Amino acid sequence: MLGNSRQGRSGWGRRLLYPAIALAAGGLVGYFAKRPQEVEAGARNLVAELIRTSDEPPSAGFSIEGTARTAIAALLPPREIQSVVVVSDHAGHLATVVVTGAAGGRVELDLEGVPAELRSVRRADTSAMDEAKERIE
C-alpha cells in the first residue's frame, strides 16, 4: 500500500511540473524571439538601401542582392516602398516588401530575420497583367 501512495503523489507532481516547465520554456523562447516590428524595420532599411543603390553598376557574378537591384532599377522612377507585410509562424518571421515604380511596375522582395536577409525576388508589371486580364475577358 505504501508503494501505491508514493506513486500517486509523484504522478501529481509530474502532471504539474512538466506543463510548468513547458510554459516557462515557451515564455523564454517568446521573450528572446525577434519581434515582428524589428523584422519590419530591418526589411524596410535593407530595401531602402537596395533602392538607393539600384542605379549603380552591378557587381560581377550572381547574387540575390544584385538580382534585386537589377529588378528595382528596371522600374521607372520614382521608386518607393509601397508596403511591408510581416508574417510570423513557428519557424520565424518573413517580411514581404513591395517596391513600386511609375507605370505600374512592381517588385516583391521576401526577407527573413534580423538582420534582414533577402530570400527571393519577384517582378510583376501590372500593365502586362491588365492586358492579360483583358484578353481573358
Side-chain angles (χ1 to χ4, degrees):
M1 284 247 199
L2 190 56
N4 288 341
S5 65
R6 281 188 189 160
Q7 201 173 32
R9 278 187 246 155
S10 65
W12 280 103
R14 278 182 281 189
R15 289 182 194 150
L16 295 175
L17 183 61
Y18 293 150
I21 291 172
L23 286 173
L28 287 173
V29 168
Y31 179 77
F32 289 109
K34 303 297 182 195
R35 304 280 186 257
Q37 298 86 359
E38 295 172 359
V39 174
E40 179 180 347
R44 192 176 290 275
N45 290 338
L46 178 62
V47 173
E49 180 67 17
L50 289 172
I51 292 170
R52 188 183 68 72
T53 60
S54 64
D55 290 327
E56 294 178 1
S59 59
F62 173 80
S63 72
I64 190 90
E65 287 85 6
T67 303
R69 282 190 184 96
T70 302
I72 292 170
L75 298 173
L76 295 175
R79 302 170 191 118
E80 57 188 24
I81 296 173
Q82 179 184 14
S83 65
V84 179
V85 177
V86 177
V87 178
S88 302
D89 65 8
H90 67 281
H93 307 287
L94 179 71
T96 300
V97 181
V98 177
V99 178
T100 59
R106 59 187 267 154
V107 174
E108 295 178 5
L109 307 165
D110 290 331
L111 300 102
E112 181 178 39
V114 175
E117 293 182 35
L118 192 57
R119 295 294 182 208
S120 69
V121 179
R122 292 179 302 281
R123 185 168 169 208
D125 185 12
T126 55
S127 62
M129 290 169 39
D130 291 340
E131 289 175 11
K133 284 182 187 176
E134 289 175 6
R135 279 188 242 141
I136 292 171
E137 295 172 355

